[in-house]
Amino acid sequence: MISRVAIIGLGAAARAIHLPAIRKLSQLQIVGGYDPRPSFEVPFPLFSSVEELLVRSKPDLLVIATPPSSHFELVRAGLAAGCHVFCEKPLAESLSEARELSALAKAAGRSVFVNSEFPWMPIHSAAKNAMS
């Protein structure tokens, strides 16, 4: 089964990390993207808003590669659209926001994944312990 993937944020992280990783997985198909100012050209449809991206491309997985201040609202939008979400770190700007996203994901029956290439750092352990 091929999963449909959409990406929000088409900057350096998308170009160097997320898109190459997605392209290596044959079971994933990139169906669209959104960025108000994409920094490079892409071979998939771009949409004029997050809402249009989610409605028209109907992704199974939403990748969020945007500045941290936007993560909370974008993860909420992805979950509301029925997507699993893969988000750049940090997931949220507060523990209360992270807890809300966790509750929303559970209620929607969806998963939220946070990209962290340094999971052994003390700050990540502290966050995990605070959320338990």
Side-chain angles (χ1 to χ4, degrees):
M1 176 181 203
I2 294 182
S3 293
R4 299 167 58 82
V5 180
I7 185 165
I8 300 174
L10 296 167
R15 181 177 52 234
I17 300 168
H18 300 293
L19 293 174
I22 293 166
R23 288 183 184 123
K24 287 181 181 181
L25 300 171
S26 61
Q27 68 271 30
L28 299 182
Q29 173 190 15
I30 303 170
V31 295
Y34 169 75
D35 191 307
R37 294 176 304 283
S39 64
F40 59 97
E41 290 189 34
V42 295
F44 49 82
L46 290 179
F47 295 90
S48 62
S49 68
V50 170
E51 296 76 19
E52 182 186 20
L53 169 69
L54 294 171
V55 168
R56 292 191 53 207
S57 71
K58 297 181 181 18
D60 303 304
L61 173 66
L62 178 64
V63 175
I64 299 172
T66 60
S69 62
S70 65
H71 292 177
F72 178 71
E73 290 301 328
L74 293 174
V75 172
R76 286 183 70 195
L79 291 170
C83 302
H84 296 285
V85 178
F86 183 90
C87 186
E88 267 299 326
K89 64 187 177 314
L91 173 63
E93 294 188 304
S94 70
L95 185 55
S96 64
E97 286 182 351
R99 284 185 172 141
E100 181 177 337
L101 294 175
S102 178
L104 289 171
K106 184 176 182 178
R110 295 292 177 256
S111 297
V112 175
F113 306 93
V114 180
N115 184 36
S116 176
E117 63 271 29
F118 306 111
W120 61 86
M121 293 178 67
I123 192 167
H124 298 298
S125 297
K128 181 179 178 183
N129 291 338
M131 291 172 61
S132 298

